Amino acid sequence: MAQQFDVVVIGSGPGGYVAAIKAAQLGLKTAIVEKWLTKDEKPSYGGTCLNVGCIPSKALLESSEKFHEAQHDFELHGIGLKDLKVDVKAMVKRKEDIVGKLTGGVAGLLKGNGVTAFEGKGMLKANKVVEVTLHDGKTETLEGKNVILATGSIPIEIPPTPTNGDTIVDSEGALEFSSVPKRLGVIGAGVIGLELGSVWKRLGSEVVVLEAMDTFLPAADQAIAKDAFKFFTKKAGLDVRLGARVTGSEVKKNKVEVTFEDSEGEKKETFDKLIVAVGRRPYTEGCLDKGCGVSLDERGFVQVDDQCRSTVPGVYAIGDVVRGPMLAHKGSEEGIMVAEIIAGHNAQMNYDTIPNVIYTHPEIAWVGKTEEQLKSDGADYKVGSFSMAAIGRAMAQNATDGQVKIIADAKTDRILGMHIFASGASEMIAQGVIAMEFASSAEDLQLTCFAHPTNSEAVHEAALAVDNMAIHKVNRKKR
Ligand code: FAD
Ligand code: NAD
């Protein structure tokens, strides 16, 4: 006999668990199905983000940045340290403790909100029936008036560098090295390559990043990308090789030899560890029974409309398994929207104000359109930027690299994009998100009082610079 629910959610990542909690809060009888098992075979909630993604990577980024500061910056502050060393095992344990707290917290939140959890693999069949194969092999049949697919994504593997869980790893393996690799290769100068490459570089690895494309961070505003590239290669010591296409690899005596081609021809590099970070793909394996009726697009994403409705009425899909940026907060917002739609509300999401952050040091963050996109749209726009080098707080923090750039519509003055390369950019970008969500003009930011001394004063100055009115720099353009 099938158990009846108003909503059955498959997957408990930031998309699924947020959708389930919201649905329960809205009075819907809600179930969630999650198959994740930790290395010691314990069920865990929170998906990629909490278990092996956003949270563990940020824990290691924080630890490695502290070590780097202690090694390079403390002396400048007049602080002397002797016998500085890294205990990678302790760092990894701290990361695992944080993961444990958060994943346990999600389990508690689901329970506290009255969501019924099923620990096992869910498969959607016809008529919104979800069959769950529990971890002990037993099965449960659930019937949902509505079903939300939130099964996430997995790393893309490429034939030249098959992962082996030892010398060649994906992002998950790169969060678990037990010592600092002497020479580390990274394939892909995307978000994961830059973040995890930075972690191990700061801890002492010599890091070479091989990137197939000739352009660095093509999705970012290129003024910011250029600044960041210069910093990462000249100051942070990452050896980023653009236009380097990997063609093969060979594991020899615990090392891996990578073959790649660039404009000069074929080359080889040998590494102690190799991280493959060439993107992620939607994950639906074993989740969609043939008769379920849900269509996938040509790239394997579940086909949905603007409000995450799949091709089957009453079946929705959210997060990494559908189109759009693969970001935790995007999945969570879609989860909230879908729960509200199911509860009968008219909910919509603004995909134009989703922030992007790369948690390097300094951080890269942006919201809205880049100058390159506006140029190719033929838009009439104006730009203001302000360097962190002129910000007093940044000087006090020894964090004067980078800039804030704001783009506004030339006629309406409405903010079209904010782009930041700066220490703390991940927090500063929220100002751009809120401004754009409230359809603010550059003038709205110009007329706002910013606390002094803060790095956010660069946001104020960049807004002023949009109309050549910056106070703490000489405006080059005539008003
Ligand atoms: P997921 O988090 O992938 O969760 C899907 C869940 O569904 C999993 O728990 C899986 O076990 C479960 N599942 C799948 N199929 C079934 C089934 N048939 N039955 C039961 N359960 C199933 N994003 C950010 O916004 N900020 C960051 O800083 C960030 N850092 C990242 C760092 C790394 C190293 C990685 C790999 C990713 C990072 N991301 C980050 C991306 C982020 O993790 C994803 O965008 C996010 O996890 C997607 O959420 P989701 O709910 O769609 O899917
Ligand atoms: P990505 O798409 O950001 O970068 C992959 C890079 O690999 C690209 O630059 C691509 O040109 C390059 N590449 C592809 N094939 C290659 C090859 N054969 N040789 C050399 N280079 C190659 O993907 P990612 O870094 O793996 O991250 C996956 C997803 O996870 C991202 O889309 C992102 O949304 C999400 N994520 C987000 C965060 C964050 O928000 N801070 C952090 C980590 C991951």
Side-chain angles (χ1 to χ4, degrees):
M1 179 68 181
Q3 299 191 47
Q4 307 290 322
F5 290 94
D6 293 319
V7 185
V8 177
V9 183
I10 306 181
S12 77
Y17 87 74
V18 170
I21 290 173
K22 186 71 189 177
Q25 285 174 349
L26 290 167
L28 300 163
K29 190 179 173 206
T30 306
I32 195 161
V33 185
E34 174 54 66
K35 71 178 178 63
W36 198 286
L37 287 175
T38 59
K39 288 225 158 52
D40 47 1
E41 303 278 298
K42 292 204 179 96
S44 182
Y45 296 89
T48 304
C49 179
L50 270 62
N51 288 283
V52 294
C54 328
I55 297 302
S57 60
K58 268 78 242 177
L60 289 187
L61 276 157
E62 199 63 39
S63 298
S64 63
E65 180 56 21
K66 291 231 177 312
F67 176 66
H68 186 269
E69 270 183 46
Q71 220 177 14
H72 299 279
D73 297 347
F74 276 20
E75 208 180 327
L76 201 69
H77 290 273
I79 303 169
L81 276 177
K82 259 191 193 159
D83 303 328
L84 192 67
K85 61 178 190 324
V86 172
D87 181 344
V88 175
K89 289 200 179 91
M91 244 177 222
V92 169
K93 181 174 181 308
R94 172 183 174 271
K95 173 208 81 173
E96 277 161 9
D97 289 347
I98 294 169
V99 168
K101 263 187 209 147
L102 283 172
T103 53
V106 169
L109 283 173
L110 290 168
K111 196 168 172 208
N113 279 284
V115 176
T116 310
F118 294 88
E119 291 169 350
K121 183 155 182 156
M123 180 191 269
L124 176 67
K125 302 193 146 190
N127 304 318
K128 291 174 280 182
V129 168
V130 175
E131 193 171 287
V132 186
T133 308
L134 300 167
H135 292 310
D136 62 8
K138 291 185 185 138
T139 56
E140 289 272 4
T141 306
L142 319 179
E143 216 172 281
K145 286 188 191 132
N146 301 275
V147 173
I148 304 176
L149 301 169
T151 50
S153 64
I154 54 169
I156 292 175
E157 290 237 17
I158 49 171
T161 52
T163 54
N164 57 23
D166 177 23
T167 38
I168 309 181
V169 297
D170 59 20
S171 56
E172 189 173 342
L175 294 166
E176 285 170 356
F177 293 154
S178 53
S179 59
V180 179
K182 196 163 179 308
R183 224 169 169 252
L184 174 68
V186 180
I187 308 187
V191 196
I192 293 180
L194 292 174
E195 289 186 0
L196 295 181
S198 298
V199 165
W200 296 106
K201 172 70 202 163
R202 292 169 191 167
L203 295 178
S205 291
E206 184 192 335
V207 178
V208 179
V209 185
L210 301 171
E211 166 58 54
M213 281 188 293
D214 294 319
T215 310
F216 184 63
L217 294 177
D221 188 278
Q222 284 305 293
I224 299 293
K226 280 199 181 91
D227 244 18
F229 185 76
K230 209 162 126 195
F231 182 91
F232 295 150
T233 52
K234 301 266 186 284
K235 288 197 181 169
L238 288 177
D239 182 355
V240 184
R241 319 249 182 105
L242 299 177
R245 205 172 55 82
V246 175
T247 52
S249 65
E250 200 180 333
V251 178
K252 292 177 183 168
K253 287 190 191 150
N254 253 349
K255 291 189 190 281
V256 50
E257 185 185 74
V258 176
T259 312
F260 63 97
E261 281 169 11
D262 63 16
S263 56
E264 293 164 355
E266 190 177 281
K267 290 181 182 162
K268 287 186 195 296
E269 288 284 356
T270 302
F271 303 110
D272 298 291
K273 299 274 182 199
L274 179 69
I275 304 174
V276 183
V278 294
R280 295 177 63 83
R281 63 176 178 85
Y283 177 75
T284 52
E285 273 92 314
C287 178
L288 301 175
D289 192 37
K290 265 195 195 127
C292 77
V294 169
S295 302
L296 303 182
D297 70 14
E298 65 285 353
R299 294 168 62 209
F301 290 98
V302 176
Q303 243 180 49
V304 288
D305 66 10
D306 284 352
Q307 288 172 303
C308 293
R309 290 184 190 88
S310 79
T311 42
V312 177
V315 177
Y316 300 79
I318 59 172
D320 281 12
V321 80
V322 301
R323 84 282 174 270
M326 287 184 168
L327 298 172
H329 41 283
K330 175 260 192 185
S332 298
E333 284 307 305
E334 287 178 333
I336 302 250
M337 170 178 73
V338 166
E340 287 191 338
I341 290 170
I342 292 171
H345 304 170
N346 184 16
Q348 261 183 350
M349 204 179 131
N350 185 0
Y351 283 90
D352 293 337
T353 53
I354 298 171
N356 279 276
V357 179
I358 306 177
Y359 293 82
T360 43
H361 184 81
E363 294 170 339
I364 301 168
W366 73 91
V367 59
K369 295 213 172 180
T370 63
E371 192 168 352
E372 291 72 30
Q373 282 169 326
L374 290 165
K375 237 181 224 152
S376 89
D377 292 350
D380 197 5
Y381 62 88
K382 46 189 181 168
V383 177
S385 54
F386 197 80
S387 166
M388 297 308 294
I391 295 292
R393 184 70 189 278
M395 282 181 210
Q397 293 174 338
N398 192 29
T400 50
D401 291 285
Q403 60 168 303
V404 175
K405 173 173 172 178
I406 294 177
I407 314 179
D409 188 289
K411 287 194 192 77
T412 65
D413 196 38
R414 189 172 171 161
I415 296 170
L416 303 173
M418 187 182 289
H419 306 272
I420 308 178
F421 178 51
S423 169
S426 56
E427 302 292 342
M428 288 158 75
I429 199 63
Q431 301 165 33
V433 176
I434 294 168
M436 285 186 64
E437 193 59 43
F438 282 64
S440 306
S441 60
E443 188 184 30
D444 288 326
L445 287 186
Q446 291 164 2
L447 296 173
T448 302
C449 182
F450 285 70
H452 175 75
T454 58
N455 288 343
S456 294
E457 285 174 286
V459 172
H460 193 205
E461 289 282 3
L464 289 164
V466 165
D467 291 312
N468 308 308
M469 300 192 303
I471 297 294
H472 294 90
K473 75 170 186 179
V474 177
N475 297 288
R476 299 273 173 222
K477 291 176 270 178
K478 284 218 172 70
R479 289 196 62 202

